[in-house]
Amino acid sequence: SAVISQKPSRDICQRGTSLTIQCQVDSQVTMMFWYRQQPGQSLTLIATANQGSEATYESGFVIDKFPISRPNLTFSTLTVSNLSPEDSSIYLCSVKRGAPDNEQFFGPGTRLTVL
Amino acid sequence: AQSVSQHNHHVILSEAASLELGCNYSYGGTVNLFWYVQYPGQHLQLLLKYFSGDPLVKGIKGFEAEFIKSKFSFNLRKPSVQWSDTAEYFCAVNAPPGSSASKIIFGSGTRLSIRP
């Protein structure tokens, strides 16, 4: 398995500000993902964080709103910019090691509340 | 692109009842299938997974799921539920490594409530 930590675990932010979430994995992984889980909803994939290149965003998510960095194989950050109350969610980091192991592991999540 | 459907949004059962949660997926190629559970206030945990081989897979806590390729289904079952099974259950699918679809996509989730 992979042990994933996220910082912060929770935060309360004001409208218009930004929050950067860090994801650290205890071993090198090939793929890292960021998901959002809005209150009472399922998980929605925001983007795939690519090491050394721009992230790949899913439909409905853009780089200006959710800039992502992945400087190496064990670390990634997600920034949620220009916050509004609709951004209140749990943000989860997820990783996969790659073939032949196709299991995906999830971090504990960061609970964001925007006032 | 792949997608996952969970038709039961909220299931309410009494303890010792049998459980079956439906999951259907759409994807034309080889898939890997998962069931995750999220207990109240906790983070996501893997219940079981199907990669290949025996289509009947057994997971933790007495759960099992059956992959029926012809029906594009991967239903979750448990013969006798307990109050502690109260949680949100998510079905998920992804394609094997190397595929452009190799990222987990989740269903909308099924909330399971068990009456003591």
Side-chain angles (χ1 to χ4, degrees), chain B residues 20-33:
Chain B
E20 181 159 3
L21 301 182
C23 172
N24 289 92
Y25 68 92
S26 66
Y27 183 67
T30 303
V31 291
N32 300 145
L33 295 154

Side-chain angles (χ1 to χ4, degrees), chain B residues 42-63:
Chain B
Q42 298 189 27
H43 63 87
L44 217 58
Q45 300 174 43
L46 181 66
L47 261 185
L48 49 79
K49 61 188 177 186
Y50 171 78
F51 284 0
S52 63
D54 189 344
L56 183 63
V57 294
K58 296 193 183 298
I60 60 171
K61 304 187 181 187
F63 286 91

